[in-house]
Amino acid sequence: SVPDGTPADTQEAIANEIERGMIEDGVSVIVIEVVFAKTQSFFMSMFNLLQAFLALGLAVGIAGLAVVTVRNVSERQHQIGILRALGFQRSMVVSSFLIELSWVSFLGILNGAVVGIGFHYALYDRFLREEGASFLMPWAEISMIVVGAYALTLLATVWPVLKAASIKPAEALRDVE
């Protein structure tokens, strides 16, 4: 037992001294604070690994949305050309694609955020509630991820959307399949 506030390295030195002094008796000394810190470090690294996998999944989802948008533009060239011939301005084409992309991406992003919050609460309920811990949500981090994912989605799909807006009506109507 050491006074409160004793640094962990001092506690380790005292534990080593006690162990050396009582080695013949087979005494093993454990510094609980150090064991707890190592265990906590292990769990935090596992959570960071899980967070990295989730970030990778988000990146793959954004890339998938960009690929779907490229395909969507190429398959709807004739329709976009007809709309342009009827008087749709480039900004109207861009707006329609942005509304469509925003709807799809926000559904996916919010679905992921809700599932993440539910998982966080389930972990709290299962492991921390009985210990008397309070439920804390990293709202700033969640908001940053939602806004960042939406911004990255727009960035990933800007090229196909601008390509769709630049379709000339005469060319699109000439290429009837």
Side-chain angles (χ1 to χ4, degrees), residues 51-69 104-105 108-109 149 152-153 156-157:
Q51 194 173 23
F53 279 125
L54 292 173
L56 183 63
L58 181 62
V60 168
I62 290 170
L65 192 56
V67 169
V68 167
T69 304
V104 170
S105 65
I109 291 167
L152 287 174
T153 299
T157 57

PDB file of all heavy atoms in Angstrom, residues 51-69 104-105 108-109 149 152-153 156-157:
ATOM      1  N   GLN A  51     -12.878   1.113 -34.848  1.00  0.00           N
ATOM      2  CA  GLN A  51     -13.183   2.408 -35.458  1.00  0.00           C
ATOM      3  C   GLN A  51     -12.511   2.541 -36.824  1.00  0.00           C
ATOM      4  O   GLN A  51     -13.105   3.084 -37.754  1.00  0.00           O
ATOM      5  CB  GLN A  51     -12.721   3.527 -34.524  1.00  0.00           C
ATOM      6  CG  GLN A  51     -13.254   4.879 -34.864  1.00  0.00           C
ATOM      7  CD  GLN A  51     -12.885   5.908 -33.808  1.00  0.00           C
ATOM      8  OE1 GLN A  51     -11.926   5.754 -33.063  1.00  0.00           O
ATOM      9  NE2 GLN A  51     -13.646   6.976 -33.746  1.00  0.00           N
ATOM     10  N   ALA A  52     -11.304   2.021 -36.959  1.00  0.00           N
ATOM     11  CA  ALA A  52     -10.616   2.067 -38.258  1.00  0.00           C
ATOM     12  C   ALA A  52     -11.354   1.218 -39.289  1.00  0.00           C
ATOM     13  O   ALA A  52     -11.492   1.626 -40.452  1.00  0.00           O
ATOM     14  CB  ALA A  52      -9.178   1.585 -38.102  1.00  0.00           C
ATOM     15  N   PHE A  53     -11.848   0.055 -38.894  1.00  0.00           N
ATOM     16  CA  PHE A  53     -12.619  -0.782 -39.818  1.00  0.00           C
ATOM     17  C   PHE A  53     -13.921  -0.084 -40.230  1.00  0.00           C
ATOM     18  O   PHE A  53     -14.336  -0.168 -41.388  1.00  0.00           O
ATOM     19  CB  PHE A  53     -12.926  -2.148 -39.208  1.00  0.00           C
ATOM     20  CG  PHE A  53     -11.791  -3.120 -39.304  1.00  0.00           C
ATOM     21  CD1 PHE A  53     -11.289  -3.737 -38.176  1.00  0.00           C
ATOM     22  CD2 PHE A  53     -11.220  -3.424 -40.530  1.00  0.00           C
ATOM     23  CE1 PHE A  53     -10.244  -4.630 -38.265  1.00  0.00           C
ATOM     24  CE2 PHE A  53     -10.174  -4.323 -40.632  1.00  0.00           C
ATOM     25  CZ  PHE A  53      -9.683  -4.921 -39.493  1.00  0.00           C
ATOM     26  N   LEU A  54     -14.564   0.590 -39.292  1.00  0.00           N
ATOM     27  CA  LEU A  54     -15.781   1.321 -39.623  1.00  0.00           C
ATOM     28  C   LEU A  54     -15.487   2.474 -40.577  1.00  0.00           C
ATOM     29  O   LEU A  54     -16.262   2.744 -41.496  1.00  0.00           O
ATOM     30  CB  LEU A  54     -16.457   1.824 -38.345  1.00  0.00           C
ATOM     31  CG  LEU A  54     -17.041   0.734 -37.448  1.00  0.00           C
ATOM     32  CD1 LEU A  54     -17.537   1.335 -36.140  1.00  0.00           C
ATOM     33  CD2 LEU A  54     -18.153  -0.004 -38.149  1.00  0.00           C
ATOM     34  N   ALA A  55     -14.363   3.150 -40.368  1.00  0.00           N
ATOM     35  CA  ALA A  55     -13.973   4.233 -41.284  1.00  0.00           C
ATOM     36  C   ALA A  55     -13.686   3.680 -42.673  1.00  0.00           C
ATOM     37  O   ALA A  55     -14.035   4.302 -43.685  1.00  0.00           O
ATOM     38  CB  ALA A  55     -12.753   4.967 -40.731  1.00  0.00           C
ATOM     39  N   LEU A  56     -13.062   2.522 -42.733  1.00  0.00           N
ATOM     40  CA  LEU A  56     -12.809   1.885 -44.025  1.00  0.00           C
ATOM     41  C   LEU A  56     -14.126   1.530 -44.715  1.00  0.00           C
ATOM     42  O   LEU A  56     -14.280   1.732 -45.917  1.00  0.00           O
ATOM     43  CB  LEU A  56     -11.951   0.628 -43.823  1.00  0.00           C
ATOM     44  CG  LEU A  56     -11.531  -0.118 -45.080  1.00  0.00           C
ATOM     45  CD1 LEU A  56     -10.655   0.761 -45.956  1.00  0.00           C
ATOM     46  CD2 LEU A  56     -10.799  -1.394 -44.702  1.00  0.00           C
ATOM     47  N   GLY A  57     -15.083   1.027 -43.973  1.00  0.00           N
ATOM     48  CA  GLY A  57     -16.395   0.726 -44.527  1.00  0.00           C
ATOM     49  C   GLY A  57     -17.088   1.979 -45.043  1.00  0.00           C
ATOM     50  O   GLY A  57     -17.734   1.953 -46.099  1.00  0.00           O
ATOM     51  N   LEU A  58     -16.941   3.086 -44.325  1.00  0.00           N
ATOM     52  CA  LEU A  58     -17.519   4.351 -44.773  1.00  0.00           C
ATOM     53  C   LEU A  58     -16.873   4.804 -46.083  1.00  0.00           C
ATOM     54  O   LEU A  58     -17.565   5.241 -47.005  1.00  0.00           O
ATOM     55  CB  LEU A  58     -17.343   5.419 -43.695  1.00  0.00           C
ATOM     56  CG  LEU A  58     -17.918   6.796 -43.980  1.00  0.00           C
ATOM     57  CD1 LEU A  58     -19.426   6.721 -44.164  1.00  0.00           C
ATOM     58  CD2 LEU A  58     -17.565   7.746 -42.854  1.00  0.00           C
ATOM     59  N   ALA A  59     -15.545   4.666 -46.177  1.00  0.00           N
ATOM     60  CA  ALA A  59     -14.836   5.048 -47.407  1.00  0.00           C
ATOM     61  C   ALA A  59     -15.282   4.183 -48.584  1.00  0.00           C
ATOM     62  O   ALA A  59     -15.483   4.687 -49.696  1.00  0.00           O
ATOM     63  CB  ALA A  59     -13.330   4.943 -47.197  1.00  0.00           C
ATOM     64  N   VAL A  60     -15.459   2.893 -48.350  1.00  0.00           N
ATOM     65  CA  VAL A  60     -15.922   1.997 -49.415  1.00  0.00           C
ATOM     66  C   VAL A  60     -17.341   2.369 -49.837  1.00  0.00           C
ATOM     67  O   VAL A  60     -17.671   2.366 -51.031  1.00  0.00           O
ATOM     68  CB  VAL A  60     -15.842   0.522 -48.961  1.00  0.00           C
ATOM     69  CG1 VAL A  60     -16.580  -0.402 -49.907  1.00  0.00           C
ATOM     70  CG2 VAL A  60     -14.386   0.095 -48.825  1.00  0.00           C
ATOM     71  N   GLY A  61     -18.191   2.724 -48.881  1.00  0.00           N
ATOM     72  CA  GLY A  61     -19.549   3.152 -49.208  1.00  0.00           C
ATOM     73  C   GLY A  61     -19.572   4.425 -50.042  1.00  0.00           C
ATOM     74  O   GLY A  61     -20.342   4.546 -51.004  1.00  0.00           O
ATOM     75  N   ILE A  62     -18.718   5.375 -49.705  1.00  0.00           N
ATOM     76  CA  ILE A  62     -18.643   6.625 -50.471  1.00  0.00           C
ATOM     77  C   ILE A  62     -18.137   6.339 -51.881  1.00  0.00           C
ATOM     78  O   ILE A  62     -18.667   6.870 -52.870  1.00  0.00           O
ATOM     79  CB  ILE A  62     -17.757   7.649 -49.739  1.00  0.00           C
ATOM     80  CG1 ILE A  62     -18.474   8.133 -48.470  1.00  0.00           C
ATOM     81  CG2 ILE A  62     -17.413   8.827 -50.636  1.00  0.00           C
ATOM     82  CD1 ILE A  62     -17.604   8.959 -47.548  1.00  0.00           C
ATOM     83  N   ALA A  63     -17.109   5.498 -51.993  1.00  0.00           N
ATOM     84  CA  ALA A  63     -16.595   5.140 -53.322  1.00  0.00           C
ATOM     85  C   ALA A  63     -17.671   4.410 -54.131  1.00  0.00           C
ATOM     86  O   ALA A  63     -17.816   4.635 -55.341  1.00  0.00           O
ATOM     87  CB  ALA A  63     -15.349   4.275 -53.186  1.00  0.00           C
ATOM     88  N   GLY A  64     -18.427   3.549 -53.486  1.00  0.00           N
ATOM     89  CA  GLY A  64     -19.519   2.841 -54.168  1.00  0.00           C
ATOM     90  C   GLY A  64     -20.579   3.796 -54.675  1.00  0.00           C
ATOM     91  O   GLY A  64     -21.097   3.630 -55.787  1.00  0.00           O
ATOM     92  N   LEU A  65     -20.892   4.810 -53.886  1.00  0.00           N
ATOM     93  CA  LEU A  65     -21.867   5.803 -54.327  1.00  0.00           C
ATOM     94  C   LEU A  65     -21.345   6.584 -55.531  1.00  0.00           C
ATOM     95  O   LEU A  65     -22.100   6.903 -56.449  1.00  0.00           O
ATOM     96  CB  LEU A  65     -22.204   6.752 -53.178  1.00  0.00           C
ATOM     97  CG  LEU A  65     -23.402   7.664 -53.357  1.00  0.00           C
ATOM     98  CD1 LEU A  65     -24.658   6.863 -53.659  1.00  0.00           C
ATOM     99  CD2 LEU A  65     -23.608   8.504 -52.122  1.00  0.00           C
ATOM    100  N   ALA A  66     -20.043   6.865 -55.558  1.00  0.00           N
ATOM    101  CA  ALA A  66     -19.451   7.555 -56.713  1.00  0.00           C
ATOM    102  C   ALA A  66     -19.543   6.680 -57.967  1.00  0.00           C
ATOM    103  O   ALA A  66     -19.879   7.174 -59.054  1.00  0.00           O
ATOM    104  CB  ALA A  66     -18.008   7.923 -56.418  1.00  0.00           C
ATOM    105  N   VAL A  67     -19.274   5.388 -57.826  1.00  0.00           N
ATOM    106  CA  VAL A  67     -19.352   4.478 -58.971  1.00  0.00           C
ATOM    107  C   VAL A  67     -20.789   4.379 -59.474  1.00  0.00           C
ATOM    108  O   VAL A  67     -21.042   4.408 -60.685  1.00  0.00           O
ATOM    109  CB  VAL A  67     -18.796   3.086 -58.589  1.00  0.00           C
ATOM    110  CG1 VAL A  67     -19.110   2.050 -59.642  1.00  0.00           C
ATOM    111  CG2 VAL A  67     -17.299   3.169 -58.345  1.00  0.00           C
ATOM    112  N   VAL A  68     -21.736   4.278 -58.552  1.00  0.00           N
ATOM    113  CA  VAL A  68     -23.144   4.207 -58.941  1.00  0.00           C
ATOM    114  C   VAL A  68     -23.564   5.496 -59.650  1.00  0.00           C
ATOM    115  O   VAL A  68     -24.322   5.463 -60.626  1.00  0.00           O
ATOM    116  CB  VAL A  68     -24.036   3.926 -57.705  1.00  0.00           C
ATOM    117  CG1 VAL A  68     -25.499   4.156 -57.997  1.00  0.00           C
ATOM    118  CG2 VAL A  68     -23.808   2.511 -57.219  1.00  0.00           C
ATOM    119  N   THR A  69     -23.048   6.624 -59.198  1.00  0.00           N
ATOM    120  CA  THR A  69     -23.386   7.900 -59.835  1.00  0.00           C
ATOM    121  C   THR A  69     -22.826   7.973 -61.250  1.00  0.00           C
ATOM    122  O   THR A  69     -23.508   8.453 -62.171  1.00  0.00           O
ATOM    123  CB  THR A  69     -22.865   9.073 -58.986  1.00  0.00           C
ATOM    124  OG1 THR A  69     -23.403   8.960 -57.670  1.00  0.00           O
ATOM    125  CG2 THR A  69     -23.272  10.402 -59.573  1.00  0.00           C
ATOM    126  N   VAL A 104     -29.859   9.775 -50.782  1.00  0.00           N
ATOM    127  CA  VAL A 104     -29.272   8.442 -50.629  1.00  0.00           C
ATOM    128  C   VAL A 104     -28.152   8.453 -49.595  1.00  0.00           C
ATOM    129  O   VAL A 104     -28.077   7.584 -48.723  1.00  0.00           O
ATOM    130  CB  VAL A 104     -28.769   7.919 -51.996  1.00  0.00           C
ATOM    131  CG1 VAL A 104     -27.953   6.654 -51.829  1.00  0.00           C
ATOM    132  CG2 VAL A 104     -29.928   7.676 -52.933  1.00  0.00           C
ATOM    133  N   SER A 105     -27.272   9.459 -49.670  1.00  0.00           N
ATOM    134  CA  SER A 105     -26.134   9.480 -48.746  1.00  0.00           C
ATOM    135  C   SER A 105     -26.581   9.764 -47.317  1.00  0.00           C
ATOM    136  O   SER A 105     -26.079   9.136 -46.380  1.00  0.00           O
ATOM    137  CB  SER A 105     -25.090  10.487 -49.194  1.00  0.00           C
ATOM    138  OG  SER A 105     -25.584  11.798 -49.137  1.00  0.00           O
ATOM    139  N   GLY A 108     -27.959   6.629 -45.740  1.00  0.00           N
ATOM    140  CA  GLY A 108     -26.883   5.724 -45.338  1.00  0.00           C
ATOM    141  C   GLY A 108     -26.105   6.242 -44.139  1.00  0.00           C
ATOM    142  O   GLY A 108     -25.802   5.486 -43.206  1.00  0.00           O
ATOM    143  N   ILE A 109     -25.782   7.532 -44.157  1.00  0.00           N
ATOM    144  CA  ILE A 109     -24.996   8.120 -43.066  1.00  0.00           C
ATOM    145  C   ILE A 109     -25.786   8.090 -41.761  1.00  0.00           C
ATOM    146  O   ILE A 109     -25.262   7.691 -40.711  1.00  0.00           O
ATOM    147  CB  ILE A 109     -24.564   9.554 -43.430  1.00  0.00           C
ATOM    148  CG1 ILE A 109     -23.540   9.529 -44.569  1.00  0.00           C
ATOM    149  CG2 ILE A 109     -23.987  10.266 -42.227  1.00  0.00           C
ATOM    150  CD1 ILE A 109     -23.288  10.883 -45.196  1.00  0.00           C
ATOM    151  N   ALA A 149     -18.595  12.859 -43.814  1.00  0.00           N
ATOM    152  CA  ALA A 149     -19.004  11.824 -44.771  1.00  0.00           C
ATOM    153  C   ALA A 149     -19.839  12.436 -45.889  1.00  0.00           C
ATOM    154  O   ALA A 149     -19.672  12.083 -47.064  1.00  0.00           O
ATOM    155  CB  ALA A 149     -19.800  10.729 -44.055  1.00  0.00           C
ATOM    156  N   LEU A 152     -17.450  14.374 -48.153  1.00  0.00           N
ATOM    157  CA  LEU A 152     -16.670  13.444 -48.987  1.00  0.00           C
ATOM    158  C   LEU A 152     -17.541  12.816 -50.074  1.00  0.00           C
ATOM    159  O   LEU A 152     -17.068  12.558 -51.182  1.00  0.00           O
ATOM    160  CB  LEU A 152     -16.024  12.367 -48.121  1.00  0.00           C
ATOM    161  CG  LEU A 152     -14.850  12.829 -47.268  1.00  0.00           C
ATOM    162  CD1 LEU A 152     -14.386  11.710 -46.341  1.00  0.00           C
ATOM    163  CD2 LEU A 152     -13.703  13.310 -48.134  1.00  0.00           C
ATOM    164  N   THR A 153     -18.814  12.584 -49.774  1.00  0.00           N
ATOM    165  CA  THR A 153     -19.728  12.057 -50.785  1.00  0.00           C
ATOM    166  C   THR A 153     -19.894  13.063 -51.917  1.00  0.00           C
ATOM    167  O   THR A 153     -19.840  12.700 -53.092  1.00  0.00           O
ATOM    168  CB  THR A 153     -21.098  11.742 -50.156  1.00  0.00           C
ATOM    169  OG1 THR A 153     -20.925  10.756 -49.146  1.00  0.00           O
ATOM    170  CG2 THR A 153     -22.080  11.242 -51.192  1.00  0.00           C
ATOM    171  N   ALA A 156     -16.712  13.136 -53.931  1.00  0.00           N
ATOM    172  CA  ALA A 156     -16.528  11.938 -54.754  1.00  0.00           C
ATOM    173  C   ALA A 156     -17.464  11.907 -55.951  1.00  0.00           C
ATOM    174  O   ALA A 156     -17.174  11.247 -56.951  1.00  0.00           O
ATOM    175  CB  ALA A 156     -16.727  10.682 -53.909  1.00  0.00           C
ATOM    176  N   THR A 157     -18.579  12.616 -55.865  1.00  0.00           N
ATOM    177  CA  THR A 157     -19.567  12.560 -56.952  1.00  0.00           C
ATOM    178  C   THR A 157     -19.629  13.840 -57.771  1.00  0.00           C
ATOM    179  O   THR A 157     -20.468  13.955 -58.659  1.00  0.00           O
ATOM    180  CB  THR A 157     -20.965  12.256 -56.379  1.00  0.00           C
ATOM    181  OG1 THR A 157     -21.298  13.244 -55.406  1.00  0.00           O
ATOM    182  CG2 THR A 157     -21.010  10.873 -55.761  1.00  0.00           C
TER     183      THR A 157
END
